Amino acid sequence: MIDVAQASHHVQDAYAFELPLGIHLEIPQPFEAIGFRISKFMLLELAVALLMIAVFVPLAGKIRGGRPPRGRLWNLLELMLLFIRDEIARPAIGRHDADRFLPYLWTTFFFILSCNLIGLVPWMGSPTGSLAVTGTLAGIALCMSVGAGMRKLGPVGYFTGQIPHMELPWVLAVFLKPMILTIEVVGVIIKHGVLSVRLLANMFAGHLVLAVIMGFIAATAQSWLWYGVMPASVIGAFCLNILELLVAFLQAYIFTFLSALFIGMAIHPH
């Protein structure tokens, strides 16, 4: 059975920063009277958004002005942008339509990547470890794919396109096709829901494992076992941090690739 006090403490952690030396920094809540609370994930997402603006607006200005990006950072960013365009967007959506969705796909990839990476900073936490964040990202992906399909095919054309072509007598078609349409629409919603769960599970699980491993040090603090457990825990946590770095990039890639794939399926149903 879950300890209610521990669960309550976990909820409160979302509205405060736990800093070194036992410093507990509460986030001011100026809108609490109207039922709106500011969580630390909101602040971290805002910081990520401002960082992306600070990085990509100058890069876009250089490219728009015809100046080649110079320097390792600018070339790395341009390489990643081109990879998303050439290896994700165009193969999944089609060369003719892909470029219209590139701003969304670029923003999604770097926003998720930055939120994943900020979780590696001590005492911060990863916004993508919250279901509210991953659910919102999945909801945006759902709106993008359905909206793209309806814009390309029209509302009627989009929904009728979800039904596979079948030669059926009209008596059966009247009953079967609405059932198949319902199943397909529910399937589209579930596929996008899985996006949020996959991202959440991978990011939350990594932080949970790190917390458990480092907890071994505290558990053996008053024992001679500490001298053997502490080095092993630190080395294990370091190796898992390197693995989480890989997972941060991989999950951003998977979310972006599947979002592009769902958009392609929406505008090219057959």
Side-chain angles (χ1 to χ4, degrees):
M1 182 177 295
I2 298 176
D3 190 336
V4 176
Q6 289 182 352
S8 175
H9 178 70
H10 177 72
V11 172
Q12 292 297 324
D13 286 346
Y15 301 97
F17 288 95
E18 299 292 341
L19 301 179
L21 304 178
I23 300 175
H24 183 78
L25 183 61
E26 290 282 348
I27 300 173
Q29 303 295 337
F31 308 107
E32 190 170 9
I34 60 175
F36 179 79
R37 301 192 69 188
I38 301 174
S39 70
K40 69 177 182 180
F41 295 136
M42 295 179 184
L43 297 179
L44 292 174
E45 289 175 272
L46 178 60
V48 167
L50 294 175
L51 177 63
M52 290 176 61
I53 292 173
V55 170
F56 287 104
V57 169
L59 177 61
K62 290 182 179 182
I63 296 175
R64 187 182 301 112
R67 292 174 294 166
R70 295 181 178 177
R72 294 181 179 179
L73 175 61
W74 301 117
N75 280 278
L76 174 62
L77 292 175
E78 187 179 37
L79 177 65
M80 296 171 73
L81 292 171
L82 291 176
F83 175 81
I84 295 171
R85 185 193 70 181
D86 297 335
E87 303 298 332
I88 296 179
R90 289 181 175 176
I93 302 175
R95 181 173 293 271
H96 178 70
D97 298 301
D99 289 356
R100 293 192 293 115
F101 299 98
L102 278 176
Y104 163 70
L105 296 174
W106 282 338
T107 303
T108 298
F109 176 82
F110 283 102
F111 181 78
I112 293 176
L113 176 61
S114 301
C115 287
N116 292 346
L117 293 177
I118 204 171
L120 298 177
V121 179
W123 308 292
M124 287 289 105
S126 175
T128 45
S130 169
L131 182 59
V133 176
T134 60
T136 301
L137 290 170
I140 294 173
L142 174 63
C143 292
M144 283 294 300
S145 63
V146 174
M150 295 177 67
R151 181 179 179 181
K152 179 76 177 288
L153 307 172
V156 176
Y158 170 75
F159 286 105
T160 55
Q162 301 300 312
I163 304 174
H165 288 293
M166 295 180 292
E167 297 294 336
L168 294 173
W170 69 270
V171 177
L172 291 177
V174 169
F175 293 99
L176 288 180
K177 288 194 174 183
M179 294 173 58
I180 294 173
L181 175 60
T182 302
I183 293 172
E184 292 294 333
V185 171
V186 172
V188 169
I189 297 173
I190 291 174
K191 284 189 294 187
H192 287 83
V194 170
L195 280 179
S196 67
V197 175
R198 177 188 290 110
L199 180 58
L200 169 70
N202 280 278
M203 301 313 301
F204 181 78
H207 297 316
L208 181 62
V209 172
L210 284 174
V212 170
I213 291 179
M214 296 306 294
F216 290 151
I217 299 177
T220 59
Q222 305 300 323
S223 170
W224 60 270
L225 292 174
W226 182 88
Y227 297 98
V229 171
M230 186 274 292
S233 296
V234 171
I235 294 173
F238 173 78
C239 295
L240 282 174
N241 264 299
I242 299 300
L243 180 60
E244 275 210 86
L245 184 63
L246 172 63
V247 171
F249 280 87
L250 182 61
Q251 290 304 314
Y253 166 79
I254 291 174
F255 194 102
T256 307
F257 173 75
L258 290 177
S259 297
L261 189 63
F262 294 156
I263 292 173
M265 293 169 61
I267 63 178
H268 304 294
H270 305 300

